[in-house]
């Protein structure tokens, strides 16, 4: 490597290591924020899933005296029947006020209709727009259906008819998703957080070494030294890449630790996130580092001040995430024709890795080559821009 | 020696330089004198190659600044207008960084930085971060930075800007010493006294043209007046 590039790179690395803003974005923001957010999300999802299925629920029942057997059935299945509501009107009001998620109303005609073997009705009062996930509603409805089915079976049996008549088709479920496969949706967010942390690592330096340098008035003296502007810019990009690599490595390490402690198994998931996978993820994402550095430097070179650069770069941080969002919505699967798209290819490769699929070296080759070429193109554009006379004009 | 020959430069609709020619010799201090916006900075910026002239030529020791800007810059020590330092580097590091960019080895740089710190009276602040410096300290360090490779030519854009009386006085002393070492020095200024006190040759620039040029003695003879300020006002008013 050219010694000027090395000189510039070393100076930028040293100078920025003394800047709190760089240290915050590189060492703290990415590596801590991402994994912490992730761990919290997993824990929230797990607690919600568990609470909905297992916890006892309280169900106000109006007119319990009309159907004591039904109430007993519900009680046996973990429903605590409360009797603090007296009428359908009260029930409606209580649900509307949000006091209760769901109320069961048993009408006075219920016993007569029931005994006649006719159309015995109960009413469920609920507001799906107000409740979270409608877990209680689903559960109560499921229990009522179960009770209804149980009665039907008993009545048919009493008449000497096989209850199987009521079930002409039996559905056998054969779930092909593996425990690791199920974790993919959640872990798909991982690539976004990794790309974000990688970019954040170089965010401050990319601005400081271009727009910041101009704003401070140190750019003009720098340009009077007998070195090529391309070397100056390449040195600055190299320093940006150092911090991005550092941030990427720390963030992957952070995720490895966070996922080690996350109770993924409780969700029927398993994570194969170990040191080897972590290394492979770094390998996959490394070509993205020069691309990101060139992109941020290019954009920051356009701008007049630190603040302006910050605004534009904030938008730039979103660009690599667009392919990921589209991929998640369309449920895109890895394909050779997609591997040339930077950020999307890394996303797909990492998902495969997390699914414990073998790393497709052909895909990796295309992804790496294309990402590096895009990076080179952006770096070339940035150098062209840096070579223009207008660089100095404010 | 620096030669500027019929240089013109325009920024959009603004003609910053219309026709500027002068020569700055070695062992002399040449002052570019003119009101604000006269084109002094543009002229210096063309010499230190961050701007390219639209027409005309400029050479430093015979090296054309357009044809070979890097070779031309190698001959130059430059103090741009309002030059900034790196706030998180100390004085020593700020100077040494430019030494490295000038292609000096670390072994060469260390004694030179030390000597410059002593010469400019910066030893006390040598290890302090630049963000804590006063304007005078900043200018001194920027000057040391421009001198670290011992350039044969010095371009200083309003060097006494923001300096107090004592600092201005010592700046003049250093410039005389540098001149005595045989260097070619060009400085720009809009301050009459500075130019009278310091310069061997004076180039008065107004509205992008050289309106008068010569030693202080020659100028006085030609215009028949004693004060340089009168000459300045007179020449600027004529254009």
């Amino acid at each position: 490597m050219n010694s000027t590039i090395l000189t510039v790179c070393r100076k930028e690395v040293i100078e920025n290591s003394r800047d709190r803003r760089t240290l915050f974005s590189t060492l703290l923001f990415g590596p801590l924020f991402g994994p912490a957010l992730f761990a919290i999300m997993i824990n929230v999802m797990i607690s919600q899933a568990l609470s909905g299925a297992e916890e006892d629920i309280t169900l106000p029942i109006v007119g319990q005296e009309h159907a004591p057997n039904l109430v007993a059935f519900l009680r046996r299945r973990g429903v605590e029947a409360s009797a603090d509501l007296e009428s359908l009107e009260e029930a409606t009001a209580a649900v509307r006020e949000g006091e209760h998620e769901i109320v069961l109303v048993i009408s006075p005609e219920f016993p007569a209709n029931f005994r006649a073997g006719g159309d015995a009705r109960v009413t469920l009062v609920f507001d799906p727009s107000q409740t979270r996930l409608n877990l209680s509603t689903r559960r109560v409805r499921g229990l009522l259906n179960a009770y209804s089915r149980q009665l039907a079976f008993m009545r048919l049996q009493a008449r000497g008819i096989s209850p199987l008549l009521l079930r002409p088709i039996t559905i056998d479920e054969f779930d092909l998703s593996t425990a690791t496969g199920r974790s993919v949706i959640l872990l798909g967010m991982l690539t976004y957080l990794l790309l974000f942390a990688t970019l954040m690592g170089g965010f401050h330096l990319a601005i400081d070494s271009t727009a910041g340098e101009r704003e401070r008035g140190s750019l003009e003296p720098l340009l009077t030294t007998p070195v090529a502007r391309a070397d100056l810019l390449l040195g600055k990009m190299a320093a940006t890449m150092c911090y991005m690599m550092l941030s990427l490595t720390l963030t992957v390490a952070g995720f490895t630790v966070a996922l080690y402690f996350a109770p993924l198994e409780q969700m029927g998931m398993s994570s194969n996130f170990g040191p080897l996978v972590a290394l492979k993820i770094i390998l996959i994402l490394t070509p993205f580092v020069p691309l990101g550095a060139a992109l941020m430097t290019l954009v920051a070179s356009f701008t007049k001040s630190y603040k302006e650069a910050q605004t534009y770069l904030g938008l730039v941080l979103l660009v690599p995430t667009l392919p990921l969002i589209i991929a998640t919505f369309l449920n895109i699967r890895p394909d050779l024709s997609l591997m040339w798209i930077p950020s999307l290819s890394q996303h797909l490769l990492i998902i495969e890795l997390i699914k414990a699929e073998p790393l497709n070296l052909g895909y990796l080759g295309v992804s790496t080559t294309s990402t590096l070429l895009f990076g080179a193109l952006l770096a070339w554009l940035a150098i062209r821009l840096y070579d223009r006379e207008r660089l100095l004009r404010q | 020696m620096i030669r500027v020959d019929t240089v013109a430069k325009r920024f959009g609709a603004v003609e910053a330089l219309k026709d500027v020619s002068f020569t700055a010799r070695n062992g002399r201090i040449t002052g570019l004198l003119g009101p604000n916006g006269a084109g002094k900075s543009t002229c210096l910026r063309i010499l230190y190659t961050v701007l390219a002239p639209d027409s005309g030529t400029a050479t430093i020791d015979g090296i054309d600044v357009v044809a070979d800007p890097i070779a031309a810059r190698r001959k130059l020590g430059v103090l741009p207008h309002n030059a900034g330092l790196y706030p998180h580097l100390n004085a020593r590091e700020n100077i040494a960084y430019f030494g490295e960019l000038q292609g000096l080895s670390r072994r060469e740089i260390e004694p030179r930085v030390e000597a410059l710190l002593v010469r400019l009276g910066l030893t006390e602040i040598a290890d302090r971060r630049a963000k804590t410096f006063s304007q005078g300290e900043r200018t001194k360090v920027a000057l040391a930075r421009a001198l670290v490779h011992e350039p044969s030519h010095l371009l200083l854009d309003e060097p006494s800007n923001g300096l107090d009386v004592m600092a201005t006085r010592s700046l003049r002393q250093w410039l005389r010493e540098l001149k005595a070492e045989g260097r070619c020095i060009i400085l720009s200024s809009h301050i009459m006294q500075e130019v009278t006190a310091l310069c061997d040759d004076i180039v008065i620039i107004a509205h992008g043209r050289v309106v008068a040029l010569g030693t202080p003695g020659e100028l006085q003879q030609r215009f028949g007046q004693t004060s340089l300020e009168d000459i300045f006002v007179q020449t600027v008013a004529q254009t």
Side-chain angles (χ1 to χ4, degrees):
Chain A
M1 194 151 92
N2 184 321
S3 74
T4 304
I5 299 177
L6 210 64
T7 299
V8 175
C9 173
R10 192 173 48 226
K11 175 256 161 192
E12 295 291 352
V13 167
I14 292 174
E15 195 191 5
N16 277 279
S17 71
R18 297 174 185 170
D19 191 332
R20 244 177 266 143
R21 283 181 291 187
T22 311
L23 293 185
F24 179 76
S25 65
T26 308
L27 304 177
L28 272 177
F29 198 67
L32 275 184
F33 173 75
L37 181 76
F38 208 67
I40 292 168
M41 262 175 33
I42 286 178
N43 277 310
V44 168
M45 281 177 73
I46 286 172
S47 66
Q48 281 208 347
L50 294 184
S51 70
E54 304 299 330
E55 263 174 30
D56 286 356
I57 54 167
T58 306
L59 176 69
I61 303 177
V62 179
Q64 291 189 26
E65 64 281 7
H66 306 309
N69 285 335
L70 171 58
V71 174
F73 175 86
L74 291 175
R75 282 216 171 99
R76 275 199 303 277
R77 279 165 180 70
V79 175
E80 200 180 308
S82 73
D84 45 353
L85 298 175
E86 299 290 332
S87 65
L88 183 62
E89 288 70 33
E90 272 185 42
T92 318
V95 170
R96 195 164 284 147
E97 297 294 317
E99 266 173 58
H100 295 288
E101 253 181 69
I102 180 164
V103 178
L104 176 64
V105 182
I106 302 168
S107 67
E109 293 87 54
F110 185 88
N113 285 335
F114 187 82
R115 248 175 266 116
D119 192 15
R121 282 171 178 266
V122 295
T123 309
L124 277 179
V125 183
F126 63 99
D127 181 354
S129 66
Q130 277 196 9
T131 54
R132 157 189 72 106
L133 296 173
N134 296 317
L135 283 177
S136 313
T137 314
R138 226 180 301 161
R139 185 137 164 249
V140 171
R141 192 185 277 150
L143 287 173
L144 290 173
N145 279 333
Y147 183 66
S148 170
R149 215 163 33 240
Q150 190 182 332
L151 286 177
F153 281 19
M154 282 160 64
R155 286 180 181 177
L156 286 173
Q157 258 170 343
R159 287 165 176 77
I161 301 170
S162 166
L164 287 178
L165 273 178
L166 278 181
R167 200 192 275 165
I169 293 175
T170 306
I171 302 163
D172 284 338
E173 291 188 347
F174 191 60
D175 189 348
L176 276 180
S177 69
T178 57
T180 40
R182 274 195 288 278
S183 55
V184 160
I185 298 165
L186 190 63
L187 296 184
M189 271 201 50
L190 185 81
T191 32
Y192 169 71
L193 291 170
L194 284 174
L195 285 173
F196 185 73
T198 307
L199 289 170
M200 275 310 288
F203 185 82
H204 176 67
L205 211 154
I207 300 177
D208 185 69
S209 64
T210 53
E213 176 131 71
R214 181 167 35 194
E215 206 170 24
R216 280 196 305 270
S218 57
L219 180 61
E220 193 154 341
L222 183 66
L223 295 179
T224 68
T225 58
V227 296
R229 288 190 185 186
D231 288 347
L232 293 176
L233 198 64
L234 287 173
K236 288 164 185 292
M237 277 193 242
T240 306
M241 289 194 285
C242 288
Y243 276 94
M244 290 172 77
M245 272 313 289
L246 183 65
S247 181
L248 169 63
T249 311
L250 289 174
T251 309
V252 171
F255 272 114
T256 313
V257 175
L259 289 176
Y260 180 79
F261 288 110
L264 284 176
E265 287 73 21
Q266 284 188 38
M267 293 178 82
M269 294 178 177
S270 82
S271 125
N272 57 352
F273 218 93
L276 189 66
V277 171
L279 278 179
K280 284 182 184 167
I281 286 180
I282 293 176
L283 178 74
I284 291 170
L285 280 174
T286 297
F288 186 78
V289 168
L291 172 69
L295 179 66
M296 291 194 292
T297 307
L298 175 68
V299 173
S301 303
F302 267 116
T303 56
K304 293 191 193 74
S305 66
Y306 194 96
K307 281 212 163 142
E308 196 186 338
Q310 239 175 345
T311 311
Y312 284 116
L313 277 197
L315 294 175
V316 166
L317 283 181
L318 296 177
V319 173
T321 65
L322 284 181
L324 304 197
I325 294 165
I326 294 166
T328 312
F329 272 117
L330 299 180
N331 194 20
I332 288 175
R333 300 179 66 84
D335 187 88
L336 192 59
S337 62
L338 296 173
M339 282 301 138
W340 63 271
I341 305 172
S343 93
L344 179 62
S345 64
Q346 277 90 16
H347 170 71
L348 295 172
L349 284 171
I350 289 173
I351 296 274
E352 289 300 288
L353 204 60
I354 291 167
K355 276 198 218 163
E357 304 274 343
L359 190 57
N360 184 325
L361 290 179
Y363 285 6
L364 180 65
V366 175
S367 162
T368 302
T369 312
S370 146
T371 306
L372 287 177
L373 283 176
F374 268 105
L377 177 73
L378 290 175
W380 178 78
L381 277 175
I383 287 170
R384 286 288 305 270
L385 202 70
Y386 210 68
D387 256 334
R388 291 193 315 176
E389 202 174 277
R390 277 188 48 197
L391 180 68
L392 278 175
R393 271 192 261 161
Q394 314 263 326
Chain B
M1 190 161 77
I2 294 174
R3 232 182 246 284
V4 176
D5 191 12
T6 57
V7 161
K9 177 74 182 175
R10 133 194 311 279
F11 301 108
V14 181
E15 273 188 289
L17 294 181
K18 286 169 193 146
D19 174 14
V20 171
S21 303
F22 64 89
T23 302
R25 288 176 197 78
N26 291 355
R28 293 176 81 84
I29 299 177
T30 306
L32 299 185
L33 181 63
N36 291 328
K40 304 183 300 283
S41 286
T42 305
C43 184
L44 288 175
R45 286 171 130 191
I46 287 171
L47 284 174
Y48 60 77
T49 78
V50 300
L51 296 180
D54 294 336
S55 62
T57 55
T59 59
I60 291 150
D61 264 358
I63 300 167
D64 190 301
V65 295
V66 177
D68 196 350
I70 290 186
R73 292 207 291 269
R74 204 163 276 136
K75 300 250 171 205
L76 293 177
V78 183
L79 181 70
H81 190 61
N82 289 335
L85 303 174
Y86 296 107
H88 298 289
L89 298 185
N90 62 34
R92 206 185 290 278
E93 290 164 331
N94 264 295
I95 303 167
Y97 178 46
F98 271 53
E100 284 187 70
L101 291 174
Q102 292 288 350
L104 302 176
S105 73
R106 292 187 163 197
R107 201 175 301 164
E108 290 171 290
I109 291 170
E110 215 174 293
R112 288 192 193 194
V113 170
E114 228 37 65
L116 282 166
L117 289 170
V118 172
R119 187 171 176 181
L120 299 183
L122 292 169
T123 40
E124 266 178 43
I125 61 160
D127 295 308
R128 255 172 48 199
R129 301 260 169 98
K131 62 179 169 187
T132 64
F133 290 177
S134 69
Q135 177 62 40
E137 288 164 339
R138 261 203 293 277
T139 306
K140 283 184 194 175
V141 174
L143 188 64
R145 184 171 71 174
L147 292 171
V148 66
H149 56 297
E150 300 184 348
S152 52
H153 298 70
L154 259 176
L155 304 178
L156 312 168
D157 197 352
E158 312 227 355
S160 55
N161 211 8
L163 295 187
D164 60 25
V165 183
M166 288 310 290
T168 309
R169 191 175 273 215
S170 43
L171 174 75
R172 286 182 192 162
Q173 191 49 44
W174 307 320
L175 292 181
R176 288 200 188 95
E177 287 170 26
L178 291 165
K179 175 179 93 170
E181 290 163 12
R183 295 176 214 275
C184 171
I185 301 169
I186 300 182
L187 65 87
S188 76
S189 178
H190 59 270
I191 303 162
M192 221 69 52
Q193 294 83 338
E194 180 164 82
V195 175
T196 335
L198 203 56
C199 296
D200 306 295
D201 297 300
I202 296 170
V203 180
I204 300 178
I205 298 181
H207 308 297
R209 281 181 210 284
V210 175
V211 290
L213 170 156
T215 63
E218 283 168 1
L219 287 175
Q220 277 170 19
Q221 217 167 25
R222 222 167 91 203
F223 289 89
Q225 283 170 344
T226 46
S227 140
L228 190 60
E229 187 164 326
D230 293 335
I231 299 171
F232 179 68
V233 171
Q234 198 181 327
T235 51
V236 169
Q238 276 165 9
T239 48

